[in-house]
Amino acid sequence: MKGVILAAGIGSRLRPLTLHEPKSCVTVAGEPVLGRQLRAFDDAGVSDVTVVAGYLADETRARCEAVSVDRPDLEVSVVESEVFANTDNMYSLSLAREAVAGEPFVLANGDVAFEPDLLADLVDADADSAVACDRATFSEEAMKVTVDDRGLVSHIDKAVPEEVAHGVSTDVYRFSASFSSMLFDEIARTIDREGDFGDWTEAAIDRLVRDRDHDLATADVTGREWVEIDDFADLTEADLRFAGLSALDEKEAVFFDLDGTLYLDDDLVAGARELVELLRDRGVAVYFLSNNSSGWKDEYASKLTKLGVPADPDSVLLSTDGVIQHLVETDPGEVFVLGTDAMREAVAAAGVSVGDDDPDTVVVGFDTELTYEKARRATLAIRDGATFLLAHPDDVCPTGEGFVPDCGAIGAMIGRATDRSPERVFGKPNAEMLDHVLDAEGYAPAEVAVVGDRLATDVALAESVGCESVCVLTGDATRVEVETSDIEPTLVAPSVADLTRFVAADTSAERGDADAPVPSVEGGETGD
């Protein structure tokens, strides 16, 4: 069977993501939507696919070529619309006339992320022509479908009221040869004779089912996951629905970053307490991670407890742990700590000689008590040959007011003044941040997950360890940065509050049943 994917649209509501890639190439759970569709087509036996490109067509072609390398039996051809900015998807479909008119084919809009079984259900449906129809969804912006006594589609339009709607179109269709002929004739009449380039394919379908004998029925795909992605809210929902993250309550342990993940300044992120409680109730060990070297374990444990997340110092893992372990295991001589009093006291309590006069080693941390005098002493010591150690690489720390200079920024100042780079950098993303816990507790990487707000530290740490990761967007990372980064989290989530759907007690209700956010089914954009 043949297929057509309409992927010409601009995707303006997804800017700045779509400044450099078309909407169909935006990733969902690490995979471009177009790639997902092409693989689903191939899995369902639709092995000859025409993709209608337009906006940034070269990117669309490149994505098609990449999929073809992995699927050598899948034949993909690309036709290009040169007027995508001023046309809608009816015109885009008209460009596939030579490929499929008068032949059976499957049609999908290129901005719909759907699970492969949805397409398989459509292809296997006991009907020559069918609309993949979700009967559990209703939205004022959705294309709703009504059927007649024979079960054939009698009307498709956004204005269909809920009480008479049979269901919602998922924007995926299968057409028989006869319906294909009628559809392309109707499109030609609309475009060629009426000069209407801005109409929707659904409008042509509606005219046919209301005025002509036809065989268009519905294929019930209720319960299959799908999201039409028009804006960032849709993309967020698609990320959550299609994530490959395992159920968190099946993990042995979950490691949470603090700043920007569980709290900002002295404010707990909404849902953080509930998630931690839920995991602990399921027997999951919860640990707290921070590169922030400005405080010590008891301070962080006390802060979490006051915020409503009970914690003990042993559950807090800091970049300072690695610094101290290194200093204890080596012969650092006298150590100057460019850091807070809490950090200096923690280093000294480990038996390390801490002093200001003629130090052999300088440790630079996140010093919220920074003075010029400290910076001066550190600079002179390093220029005089002292070993330069950096507690962690974070340039900025997220706060409720915005980002402020962190350890990496302070270290960069010292590095610029000394013309030296740190001999060693501790903390995330180094696997040693977690390895000692995994070794002590016997956890395998597959049995743990890391949740944080930074790609280069939290998610990279998970990659170093070989475990799953969640990147939340309440701190450092943005969805645009996730899209363009080579570091790929298992899941991108707006906040930790969204992770309750990945705990078994909540999964069935929130991943597509009654309490789930309704998939976006709005009409697409110009040229889609």
Side-chain angles (χ1 to χ4, degrees), residues 117-182:
D117 284 343
L118 183 150
L119 190 65
D121 288 348
L122 174 66
V123 171
D124 294 339
D126 188 20
D128 292 328
S129 299
V131 181
C133 190
D134 184 349
R135 301 198 63 189
T137 297
F138 184 86
S139 167
E140 292 297 334
E141 291 299 314
M143 282 288 180
K144 275 79 69 177
V145 173
T146 65
V147 297
D148 60 21
D149 294 339
R150 300 169 297 168
L152 298 179
V153 176
S154 56
H155 190 24
I156 179 169
D157 193 87
K158 286 185 179 183
V160 174
E162 183 174 8
E163 59 270 20
V164 300
H166 178 76
V168 167
S169 167
T170 63
D171 288 342
V172 186
Y173 304 86
R174 173 184 163 200
F175 300 120
S176 65
S178 62
F179 199 95
S180 172
S181 293
M182 289 194 300

Short mmCIF file of all heavy atoms in Angstrom, two decimals, residues 117-182:
data_model
loop_
_atom_site.label_atom_id
_atom_site.label_comp_id
_atom_site.label_asym_id
_atom_site.label_seq_id
_atom_site.Cartn_x
_atom_site.Cartn_y
_atom_site.Cartn_z
N ASP A 117 0.79 1.23 16.66
CA ASP A 117 -0.42 0.41 16.64
C ASP A 117 -1.64 1.18 16.15
O ASP A 117 -2.61 0.57 15.68
CB ASP A 117 -0.70 -0.16 18.03
CG ASP A 117 0.24 -1.31 18.39
OD1 ASP A 117 0.85 -1.86 17.46
OD2 ASP A 117 0.36 -1.65 19.57
N LEU A 118 -1.62 2.50 16.28
CA LEU A 118 -2.74 3.28 15.76
C LEU A 118 -2.83 3.11 14.25
O LEU A 118 -3.91 2.88 13.70
CB LEU A 118 -2.58 4.76 16.14
CG LEU A 118 -3.71 5.72 15.72
CD1 LEU A 118 -3.82 6.87 16.71
CD2 LEU A 118 -3.51 6.28 14.32
N LEU A 119 -1.69 3.21 13.58
CA LEU A 119 -1.70 3.05 12.13
C LEU A 119 -2.00 1.61 11.75
O LEU A 119 -2.72 1.36 10.79
CB LEU A 119 -0.35 3.49 11.56
CG LEU A 119 -0.30 3.60 10.03
CD1 LEU A 119 -1.23 4.70 9.55
CD2 LEU A 119 1.12 3.85 9.55
N ALA A 120 -1.48 0.67 12.53
CA ALA A 120 -1.77 -0.74 12.25
C ALA A 120 -3.25 -1.02 12.37
O ALA A 120 -3.83 -1.77 11.55
CB ALA A 120 -0.96 -1.63 13.20
N ASP A 121 -3.90 -0.44 13.38
CA ASP A 121 -5.35 -0.61 13.54
C ASP A 121 -6.10 -0.07 12.33
O ASP A 121 -7.08 -0.67 11.87
CB ASP A 121 -5.84 0.11 14.80
CG ASP A 121 -5.42 -0.59 16.08
OD1 ASP A 121 -4.94 -1.73 16.00
OD2 ASP A 121 -5.56 0.03 17.15
N LEU A 122 -5.64 1.06 11.81
CA LEU A 122 -6.29 1.66 10.66
C LEU A 122 -6.13 0.79 9.42
O LEU A 122 -7.09 0.53 8.68
CB LEU A 122 -5.73 3.06 10.40
CG LEU A 122 -6.20 3.78 9.14
CD1 LEU A 122 -7.70 4.09 9.25
CD2 LEU A 122 -5.41 5.06 8.93
N VAL A 123 -4.90 0.33 9.18
CA VAL A 123 -4.63 -0.49 8.00
C VAL A 123 -5.38 -1.82 8.07
O VAL A 123 -5.86 -2.33 7.05
CB VAL A 123 -3.12 -0.71 7.86
CG1 VAL A 123 -2.81 -1.74 6.76
CG2 VAL A 123 -2.41 0.61 7.54
N ASP A 124 -5.52 -2.37 9.27
CA ASP A 124 -6.18 -3.67 9.43
C ASP A 124 -7.69 -3.57 9.60
O ASP A 124 -8.37 -4.60 9.74
CB ASP A 124 -5.59 -4.39 10.65
CG ASP A 124 -4.13 -4.75 10.47
OD1 ASP A 124 -3.68 -4.82 9.31
OD2 ASP A 124 -3.43 -4.94 11.49
N ALA A 125 -8.22 -2.34 9.62
CA ALA A 125 -9.65 -2.16 9.85
C ALA A 125 -10.48 -2.84 8.76
O ALA A 125 -10.07 -2.93 7.60
CB ALA A 125 -9.99 -0.67 9.90
N ASP A 126 -11.65 -3.32 9.15
CA ASP A 126 -12.55 -4.00 8.22
C ASP A 126 -13.35 -2.97 7.43
O ASP A 126 -14.58 -2.87 7.54
CB ASP A 126 -13.48 -4.93 9.00
CG ASP A 126 -14.33 -5.81 8.08
OD1 ASP A 126 -13.92 -5.98 6.91
OD2 ASP A 126 -15.37 -6.31 8.54
N ALA A 127 -12.63 -2.17 6.67
CA ALA A 127 -13.26 -1.13 5.84
C ALA A 127 -12.27 -0.75 4.75
O ALA A 127 -11.06 -0.74 4.97
CB ALA A 127 -13.61 0.10 6.68
N ASP A 128 -12.80 -0.47 3.57
CA ASP A 128 -11.91 -0.08 2.47
C ASP A 128 -11.36 1.33 2.67
O ASP A 128 -10.22 1.61 2.30
CB ASP A 128 -12.66 -0.16 1.14
CG ASP A 128 -13.02 -1.59 0.76
OD1 ASP A 128 -12.24 -2.50 1.12
OD2 ASP A 128 -14.07 -1.79 0.14
N SER A 129 -12.19 2.20 3.23
CA SER A 129 -11.77 3.57 3.56
C SER A 129 -12.16 3.84 5.00
O SER A 129 -13.22 3.42 5.45
CB SER A 129 -12.45 4.60 2.65
OG SER A 129 -12.13 4.39 1.30
N ALA A 130 -11.30 4.54 5.74
CA ALA A 130 -11.62 4.78 7.15
C ALA A 130 -10.86 5.99 7.68
O ALA A 130 -9.76 6.30 7.24
CB ALA A 130 -11.28 3.55 7.99
N VAL A 131 -11.50 6.63 8.66
CA VAL A 131 -10.87 7.68 9.46
C VAL A 131 -10.44 7.04 10.77
O VAL A 131 -11.26 6.40 11.45
CB VAL A 131 -11.85 8.82 9.76
CG1 VAL A 131 -11.17 9.92 10.57
CG2 VAL A 131 -12.46 9.37 8.49
N ALA A 132 -9.18 7.18 11.15
CA ALA A 132 -8.74 6.71 12.46
C ALA A 132 -9.38 7.61 13.51
O ALA A 132 -9.07 8.80 13.60
CB ALA A 132 -7.22 6.76 12.56
N CYS A 133 -10.28 7.05 14.29
CA CYS A 133 -11.17 7.84 15.12
C CYS A 133 -10.99 7.51 16.60
O CYS A 133 -11.05 6.35 17.00
CB CYS A 133 -12.61 7.56 14.68
SG CYS A 133 -13.84 8.66 15.38
N ASP A 134 -10.78 8.55 17.40
CA ASP A 134 -10.66 8.42 18.85
C ASP A 134 -12.02 8.78 19.46
O ASP A 134 -12.45 9.92 19.41
CB ASP A 134 -9.57 9.35 19.37
CG ASP A 134 -9.33 9.21 20.86
OD1 ASP A 134 -10.13 8.55 21.54
OD2 ASP A 134 -8.32 9.77 21.35
N ARG A 135 -12.67 7.81 20.08
CA ARG A 135 -14.02 8.03 20.59
C ARG A 135 -14.02 8.50 22.05
O ARG A 135 -15.09 8.79 22.60
CB ARG A 135 -14.85 6.76 20.44
CG ARG A 135 -14.95 6.28 18.98
CD ARG A 135 -16.09 5.32 18.80
NE ARG A 135 -17.37 5.96 19.09
CZ ARG A 135 -18.52 5.29 19.18
NH1 ARG A 135 -18.53 3.97 19.01
NH2 ARG A 135 -19.64 5.92 19.45
N ALA A 136 -12.85 8.58 22.67
CA ALA A 136 -12.78 9.00 24.07
C ALA A 136 -12.35 10.45 24.21
O ALA A 136 -12.19 10.95 25.31
CB ALA A 136 -11.80 8.10 24.83
N THR A 137 -12.17 11.13 23.10
CA THR A 137 -11.63 12.49 23.11
C THR A 137 -12.65 13.46 22.52
O THR A 137 -13.32 13.15 21.54
CB THR A 137 -10.34 12.56 22.29
OG1 THR A 137 -9.36 11.72 22.89
CG2 THR A 137 -9.80 13.98 22.23
N PHE A 138 -12.74 14.63 23.12
CA PHE A 138 -13.54 15.71 22.52
C PHE A 138 -12.84 17.02 22.79
O PHE A 138 -12.33 17.27 23.87
CB PHE A 138 -14.95 15.75 23.07
CG PHE A 138 -15.81 16.79 22.39
CD1 PHE A 138 -16.48 16.48 21.22
CD2 PHE A 138 -15.91 18.08 22.89
CE1 PHE A 138 -17.24 17.44 20.57
CE2 PHE A 138 -16.67 19.04 22.25
CZ PHE A 138 -17.34 18.72 21.08
N SER A 139 -12.82 17.88 21.78
CA SER A 139 -12.27 19.21 21.92
C SER A 139 -12.99 20.12 20.94
O SER A 139 -13.35 19.70 19.84
CB SER A 139 -10.77 19.23 21.60
OG SER A 139 -10.29 20.56 21.45
N GLU A 140 -13.22 21.34 21.37
CA GLU A 140 -13.90 22.30 20.48
C GLU A 140 -13.10 22.51 19.21
O GLU A 140 -13.66 22.81 18.15
CB GLU A 140 -14.11 23.63 21.21
CG GLU A 140 -15.10 23.57 22.36
CD GLU A 140 -16.51 23.22 21.91
OE1 GLU A 140 -16.85 23.48 20.75
OE2 GLU A 140 -17.27 22.67 22.74
N GLU A 141 -11.76 22.38 19.29
CA GLU A 141 -10.91 22.62 18.13
C GLU A 141 -10.69 21.38 17.28
O GLU A 141 -9.99 21.41 16.28
CB GLU A 141 -9.56 23.18 18.59
CG GLU A 141 -9.63 24.59 19.16
CD GLU A 141 -10.14 25.58 18.13
OE1 GLU A 141 -9.68 25.55 16.97
OE2 GLU A 141 -11.03 26.37 18.47
N ALA A 142 -11.28 20.26 17.71
CA ALA A 142 -11.05 19.01 17.01
C ALA A 142 -11.91 18.89 15.75
O ALA A 142 -12.99 19.46 15.66
CB ALA A 142 -11.36 17.84 17.94
N MET A 143 -11.43 18.11 14.79
CA MET A 143 -12.26 17.69 13.67
C MET A 143 -13.10 16.51 14.15
O MET A 143 -12.57 15.43 14.40
CB MET A 143 -11.39 17.27 12.47
CG MET A 143 -10.83 18.43 11.70
SD MET A 143 -12.12 19.26 10.75
CE MET A 143 -11.14 20.56 9.95
N LYS A 144 -14.40 16.76 14.35
CA LYS A 144 -15.28 15.71 14.83
C LYS A 144 -15.94 14.98 13.65
O LYS A 144 -16.11 15.56 12.58
CB LYS A 144 -16.37 16.28 15.74
CG LYS A 144 -15.95 16.42 17.18
CD LYS A 144 -15.10 17.65 17.44
CE LYS A 144 -15.89 18.92 17.30
NZ LYS A 144 -15.07 20.13 17.62
N VAL A 145 -16.32 13.74 13.90
CA VAL A 145 -16.90 12.88 12.87
C VAL A 145 -18.28 12.40 13.32
O VAL A 145 -18.47 12.03 14.47
CB VAL A 145 -15.98 11.66 12.61
CG1 VAL A 145 -16.65 10.68 11.66
CG2 VAL A 145 -14.64 12.12 12.06
N THR A 146 -19.24 12.43 12.40
CA THR A 146 -20.54 11.78 12.63
C THR A 146 -20.67 10.64 11.63
O THR A 146 -20.03 10.64 10.57
CB THR A 146 -21.71 12.75 12.47
OG1 THR A 146 -21.79 13.19 11.10
CG2 THR A 146 -21.55 13.96 13.38
N VAL A 147 -21.51 9.65 12.00
CA VAL A 147 -21.72 8.51 11.10
C VAL A 147 -23.22 8.29 10.90
O VAL A 147 -24.04 8.69 11.74
CB VAL A 147 -21.07 7.23 11.66
CG1 VAL A 147 -19.56 7.38 11.76
CG2 VAL A 147 -21.66 6.86 13.02
N ASP A 148 -23.57 7.64 9.79
CA ASP A 148 -24.98 7.35 9.51
C ASP A 148 -25.33 5.95 10.01
O ASP A 148 -24.54 5.29 10.68
CB ASP A 148 -25.27 7.50 8.02
CG ASP A 148 -24.44 6.56 7.15
OD1 ASP A 148 -23.95 5.54 7.68
OD2 ASP A 148 -24.28 6.85 5.95
N ASP A 149 -26.52 5.49 9.68
CA ASP A 149 -27.01 4.20 10.17
C ASP A 149 -26.18 3.03 9.65
O ASP A 149 -26.19 1.95 10.24
CB ASP A 149 -28.47 4.00 9.77
CG ASP A 149 -29.39 4.99 10.46
OD1 ASP A 149 -28.98 5.54 11.50
OD2 ASP A 149 -30.53 5.21 9.95
N ARG A 150 -25.47 3.25 8.56
CA ARG A 150 -24.64 2.18 8.01
C ARG A 150 -23.24 2.17 8.61
O ARG A 150 -22.41 1.32 8.29
CB ARG A 150 -24.54 2.33 6.49
CG ARG A 150 -25.86 2.26 5.74
CD ARG A 150 -25.67 2.69 4.31
NE ARG A 150 -25.24 4.09 4.23
CZ ARG A 150 -24.79 4.67 3.12
NH1 ARG A 150 -24.69 3.97 2.00
NH2 ARG A 150 -24.44 5.94 3.13
N GLY A 151 -22.95 3.16 9.46
CA GLY A 151 -21.62 3.28 10.04
C GLY A 151 -20.65 4.02 9.16
O GLY A 151 -19.45 4.04 9.43
N LEU A 152 -21.16 4.67 8.10
CA LEU A 152 -20.31 5.45 7.21
C LEU A 152 -20.28 6.90 7.67
O LEU A 152 -21.25 7.42 8.23
CB LEU A 152 -20.81 5.37 5.77
CG LEU A 152 -20.81 3.98 5.14
CD1 LEU A 152 -21.36 4.05 3.73
CD2 LEU A 152 -19.40 3.38 5.14
N VAL A 153 -19.17 7.56 7.41
CA VAL A 153 -19.01 8.96 7.83
C VAL A 153 -20.02 9.82 7.08
O VAL A 153 -20.13 9.75 5.85
CB VAL A 153 -17.57 9.45 7.56
CG1 VAL A 153 -17.44 10.93 7.90
CG2 VAL A 153 -16.57 8.63 8.38
N SER A 154 -20.73 10.65 7.84
CA SER A 154 -21.72 11.53 7.23
C SER A 154 -21.32 13.00 7.33
O SER A 154 -21.90 13.84 6.63
CB SER A 154 -23.09 11.33 7.90
OG SER A 154 -23.00 11.53 9.30
N HIS A 155 -20.36 13.32 8.18
CA HIS A 155 -19.97 14.72 8.36
C HIS A 155 -18.63 14.74 9.10
O HIS A 155 -18.41 13.96 10.03
CB HIS A 155 -21.05 15.44 9.17
CG HIS A 155 -20.90 16.94 9.23
ND1 HIS A 155 -20.22 17.68 8.27
CD2 HIS A 155 -21.34 17.85 10.16
CE1 HIS A 155 -20.28 18.96 8.59
NE2 HIS A 155 -20.94 19.09 9.73
N ILE A 156 -17.73 15.62 8.71
CA ILE A 156 -16.48 15.84 9.42
C ILE A 156 -16.23 17.33 9.47
O ILE A 156 -16.13 17.99 8.43
CB ILE A 156 -15.29 15.08 8.79
CG1 ILE A 156 -13.99 15.37 9.56
CG2 ILE A 156 -15.12 15.39 7.31
CD1 ILE A 156 -12.84 14.47 9.17
N ASP A 157 -16.18 17.88 10.69
CA ASP A 157 -16.07 19.33 10.84
C ASP A 157 -15.77 19.66 12.30
O ASP A 157 -16.15 18.90 13.20
CB ASP A 157 -17.37 20.00 10.41
CG ASP A 157 -17.22 21.51 10.24
OD1 ASP A 157 -16.83 21.94 9.14
OD2 ASP A 157 -17.46 22.23 11.22
N LYS A 158 -15.14 20.79 12.53
CA LYS A 158 -14.88 21.22 13.90
C LYS A 158 -16.17 21.56 14.65
O LYS A 158 -16.25 21.44 15.86
CB LYS A 158 -13.96 22.45 13.93
CG LYS A 158 -12.50 22.16 13.61
CD LYS A 158 -11.68 23.42 13.77
CE LYS A 158 -10.21 23.15 13.47
NZ LYS A 158 -9.38 24.37 13.70
N ALA A 159 -17.17 22.02 13.91
CA ALA A 159 -18.38 22.55 14.54
C ALA A 159 -19.35 21.47 15.00
O ALA A 159 -20.39 21.79 15.58
CB ALA A 159 -19.10 23.49 13.57
N VAL A 160 -19.03 20.21 14.78
CA VAL A 160 -19.95 19.14 15.21
C VAL A 160 -20.05 19.15 16.73
O VAL A 160 -19.03 19.07 17.43
CB VAL A 160 -19.43 17.77 14.72
CG1 VAL A 160 -20.30 16.65 15.29
CG2 VAL A 160 -19.42 17.72 13.20
N PRO A 161 -21.25 19.23 17.29
CA PRO A 161 -21.40 19.25 18.76
C PRO A 161 -21.09 17.89 19.38
O PRO A 161 -21.24 16.85 18.73
CB PRO A 161 -22.85 19.65 18.97
CG PRO A 161 -23.54 19.29 17.70
CD PRO A 161 -22.54 19.43 16.61
N GLU A 162 -20.69 17.94 20.64
CA GLU A 162 -20.26 16.72 21.32
C GLU A 162 -21.36 15.66 21.37
O GLU A 162 -21.09 14.46 21.23
CB GLU A 162 -19.80 17.08 22.74
CG GLU A 162 -19.26 15.89 23.53
CD GLU A 162 -18.68 16.29 24.86
OE1 GLU A 162 -18.82 17.49 25.24
OE2 GLU A 162 -18.08 15.43 25.53
N GLU A 163 -22.60 16.09 21.56
CA GLU A 163 -23.68 15.13 21.75
C GLU A 163 -23.98 14.31 20.51
O GLU A 163 -24.62 13.25 20.59
CB GLU A 163 -24.95 15.83 22.24
CG GLU A 163 -25.49 16.91 21.30
CD GLU A 163 -24.92 18.29 21.61
OE1 GLU A 163 -23.86 18.35 22.27
OE2 GLU A 163 -25.53 19.29 21.18
N VAL A 164 -23.55 14.76 19.33
CA VAL A 164 -23.81 13.99 18.11
C VAL A 164 -22.54 13.43 17.49
O VAL A 164 -22.61 12.65 16.54
CB VAL A 164 -24.57 14.85 17.07
CG1 VAL A 164 -25.91 15.31 17.62
CG2 VAL A 164 -23.75 16.03 16.60
N ALA A 165 -21.39 13.81 18.03
CA ALA A 165 -20.11 13.35 17.45
C ALA A 165 -19.90 11.87 17.74
O ALA A 165 -20.12 11.39 18.85
CB ALA A 165 -18.96 14.17 18.01
N HIS A 166 -19.48 11.15 16.73
CA HIS A 166 -19.09 9.74 16.88
C HIS A 166 -17.71 9.65 17.51
O HIS A 166 -17.41 8.70 18.24
CB HIS A 166 -19.10 9.06 15.52
CG HIS A 166 -18.66 7.63 15.55
ND1 HIS A 166 -19.46 6.62 16.01
CD2 HIS A 166 -17.48 7.04 15.17
CE1 HIS A 166 -18.81 5.46 15.92
NE2 HIS A 166 -17.61 5.70 15.41
N GLY A 167 -16.88 10.62 17.23
CA GLY A 167 -15.51 10.65 17.75
C GLY A 167 -14.71 11.75 17.09
O GLY A 167 -15.26 12.60 16.39
N VAL A 168 -13.42 11.71 17.29
CA VAL A 168 -12.51 12.74 16.79
C VAL A 168 -11.54 12.12 15.79
O VAL A 168 -10.99 11.04 16.03
CB VAL A 168 -11.73 13.37 17.97
CG1 VAL A 168 -10.56 14.20 17.47
CG2 VAL A 168 -12.65 14.24 18.81
N SER A 169 -11.34 12.81 14.70
CA SER A 169 -10.33 12.37 13.73
C SER A 169 -8.94 12.60 14.30
O SER A 169 -8.64 13.65 14.87
CB SER A 169 -10.48 13.15 12.42
OG SER A 169 -9.34 12.96 11.60
N THR A 170 -8.09 11.61 14.15
CA THR A 170 -6.69 11.73 14.58
C THR A 170 -5.80 12.27 13.46
O THR A 170 -4.57 12.26 13.58
CB THR A 170 -6.15 10.36 15.03
OG1 THR A 170 -6.17 9.46 13.92
CG2 THR A 170 -6.98 9.80 16.18
N ASP A 171 -6.41 12.71 12.38
CA ASP A 171 -5.70 13.21 11.20
C ASP A 171 -4.90 12.11 10.49
O ASP A 171 -3.89 12.38 9.84
CB ASP A 171 -4.77 14.37 11.56
CG ASP A 171 -5.54 15.64 11.87
OD1 ASP A 171 -6.71 15.72 11.50
OD2 ASP A 171 -4.97 16.54 12.52
N VAL A 172 -5.36 10.87 10.63
CA VAL A 172 -4.77 9.75 9.91
C VAL A 172 -5.92 9.03 9.19
O VAL A 172 -6.92 8.67 9.82
CB VAL A 172 -4.03 8.78 10.85
CG1 VAL A 172 -3.30 7.72 10.05
CG2 VAL A 172 -3.04 9.54 11.74
N TYR A 173 -5.77 8.81 7.88
CA TYR A 173 -6.85 8.29 7.05
C TYR A 173 -6.35 7.16 6.15
O TYR A 173 -5.17 7.09 5.80
CB TYR A 173 -7.41 9.39 6.14
CG TYR A 173 -7.90 10.63 6.87
CD1 TYR A 173 -7.01 11.66 7.20
CD2 TYR A 173 -9.23 10.76 7.24
CE1 TYR A 173 -7.45 12.80 7.88
CE2 TYR A 173 -9.69 11.89 7.90
CZ TYR A 173 -8.79 12.91 8.22
OH TYR A 173 -9.23 14.03 8.88
N ARG A 174 -7.31 6.32 5.76
CA ARG A 174 -7.04 5.29 4.76
C ARG A 174 -8.13 5.40 3.70
O ARG A 174 -9.33 5.41 4.04
CB ARG A 174 -7.06 3.92 5.40
CG ARG A 174 -6.96 2.76 4.42
CD ARG A 174 -7.10 1.44 5.17
NE ARG A 174 -7.41 0.34 4.29
CZ ARG A 174 -7.93 -0.79 4.71
NH1 ARG A 174 -8.24 -0.94 5.99
NH2 ARG A 174 -8.18 -1.76 3.85
N PHE A 175 -7.72 5.48 2.44
CA PHE A 175 -8.69 5.66 1.36
C PHE A 175 -8.61 4.51 0.36
O PHE A 175 -7.52 4.05 0.01
CB PHE A 175 -8.43 6.97 0.62
CG PHE A 175 -8.53 8.20 1.50
CD1 PHE A 175 -7.44 9.04 1.67
CD2 PHE A 175 -9.70 8.49 2.18
CE1 PHE A 175 -7.52 10.16 2.47
CE2 PHE A 175 -9.80 9.60 3.00
CZ PHE A 175 -8.71 10.45 3.14
N SER A 176 -9.77 4.09 -0.11
CA SER A 176 -9.85 3.09 -1.19
C SER A 176 -9.52 3.76 -2.52
O SER A 176 -9.42 4.99 -2.62
CB SER A 176 -11.25 2.49 -1.24
OG SER A 176 -12.19 3.51 -1.60
N ALA A 177 -9.40 2.95 -3.56
CA ALA A 177 -9.12 3.51 -4.88
C ALA A 177 -10.26 4.42 -5.34
O ALA A 177 -10.03 5.50 -5.90
CB ALA A 177 -8.90 2.38 -5.89
N SER A 178 -11.49 4.01 -5.08
CA SER A 178 -12.62 4.82 -5.53
C SER A 178 -12.70 6.14 -4.75
O SER A 178 -12.95 7.20 -5.34
CB SER A 178 -13.93 4.04 -5.37
OG SER A 178 -14.16 3.71 -4.01
N PHE A 179 -12.48 6.08 -3.44
CA PHE A 179 -12.53 7.33 -2.68
C PHE A 179 -11.35 8.22 -3.04
O PHE A 179 -11.48 9.45 -3.11
CB PHE A 179 -12.53 7.06 -1.17
CG PHE A 179 -13.02 8.22 -0.35
CD1 PHE A 179 -14.35 8.30 0.04
CD2 PHE A 179 -12.17 9.27 -0.01
CE1 PHE A 179 -14.82 9.39 0.77
CE2 PHE A 179 -12.62 10.36 0.70
CZ PHE A 179 -13.96 10.43 1.10
N SER A 180 -10.20 7.61 -3.30
CA SER A 180 -9.03 8.37 -3.73
C SER A 180 -9.33 9.15 -5.01
O SER A 180 -8.99 10.34 -5.12
CB SER A 180 -7.85 7.42 -3.95
OG SER A 180 -6.75 8.08 -4.53
N SER A 181 -9.98 8.52 -5.96
CA SER A 181 -10.31 9.20 -7.22
C SER A 181 -11.25 10.37 -6.96
O SER A 181 -11.04 11.48 -7.48
CB SER A 181 -10.97 8.22 -8.19
OG SER A 181 -10.06 7.23 -8.61
N MET A 182 -12.31 10.12 -6.17
CA MET A 182 -13.25 11.20 -5.87
C MET A 182 -12.58 12.35 -5.13
O MET A 182 -12.84 13.53 -5.40
CB MET A 182 -14.41 10.66 -5.02
CG MET A 182 -15.36 9.75 -5.75
SD MET A 182 -16.91 9.48 -4.81
CE MET A 182 -16.28 8.74 -3.31
#
